[in-house]
Amino acid sequence: SDDVQELLSDRPKLNVYRALSLAPRVLGGWLALGQAVLREAKLDRRLRELVILRVGELSDATYELAQHRRVAAQHGLEPEKIENAGMPLGALDASGVYDPGEKALLRFTDEVVRDVKASDVAFEELRDHLSDEELVEVLITISMYMGVARITETLEVTTEGEVYE
């Protein structure tokens, strides 16, 4: 529709938008949330991308991982951190890949994705590294990208360059 085309006019031609356009009545709200998470949040963009990659890994979300590995690199997240975003929690401490704040972020993300509510220990550990505002933004980012993973995987959204039927 013209309304959907207008909403998407200033965005890249991504297959995820094509899929989301099938729900035109909620598309604007979804795009506004995405804009806020990706462009307006206080949370450092590298940390945001680490959260998104972790959610993508835990959700086995092919499209999300393909998109955000590229975005994470553009925002300066180191290649070894991008490559190891799916590292098992037990290996985090010994790996030397992530600093203490990033480890806390990954643990927190795991607990929220798997258990819905982070433990008090994970919450307080992350709180030592982030402001309350940033912590809530982490939760919003986790929630949004759990949604993206479920949408793109269920609808089998392909990455750009692949055949989209």
Side-chain angles (χ1 to χ4, degrees), residues 35-155:
Q35 177 76 12
V37 167
L38 294 173
R39 307 263 187 271
E40 299 165 20
K42 179 180 178 184
L43 183 67
D44 180 276
R45 289 178 176 193
R46 290 167 300 165
L47 295 179
R48 178 202 67 217
E49 290 303 320
L50 190 55
V51 168
I52 294 168
L53 292 173
R54 189 66 167 197
V55 170
E57 291 284 357
L58 293 170
S59 303
D60 198 24
T62 306
Y63 185 89
E64 187 169 312
L65 289 168
Q67 290 295 341
H68 283 277
R69 285 179 179 138
R70 180 183 51 77
V71 174
Q74 289 172 343
H75 288 301
L77 190 63
E78 297 88 341
E80 65 274 8
K81 291 180 181 181
I82 295 169
E83 292 168 20
N84 288 289
M87 178 184 294
L89 283 179
L92 281 177
D93 290 322
S95 74
V97 173
Y98 300 103
D99 68 34
E102 293 164 338
K103 286 188 249 184
L105 182 68
L106 293 169
R107 284 189 194 100
F108 181 87
T109 300
D110 274 41
E111 289 188 15
V112 171
V113 170
R114 291 187 177 148
D115 303 328
V116 179
K117 180 184 186 292
S119 66
D120 291 343
V121 170
F123 184 87
E124 291 303 325
E125 183 181 17
L126 187 57
R127 196 174 205 182
D128 289 342
H129 299 279
L130 299 177
S131 68
D132 290 345
E133 180 179 1
E134 292 167 317
L135 199 140
V136 172
E137 288 176 358
V138 167
L139 285 165
I140 292 168
T141 302
I142 292 168
S143 301
M144 169 130 191
Y145 282 90
M146 286 178 70
V148 171
R150 279 136 185 86
I151 291 165
T152 57
E153 289 304 305
T154 300
L155 297 179

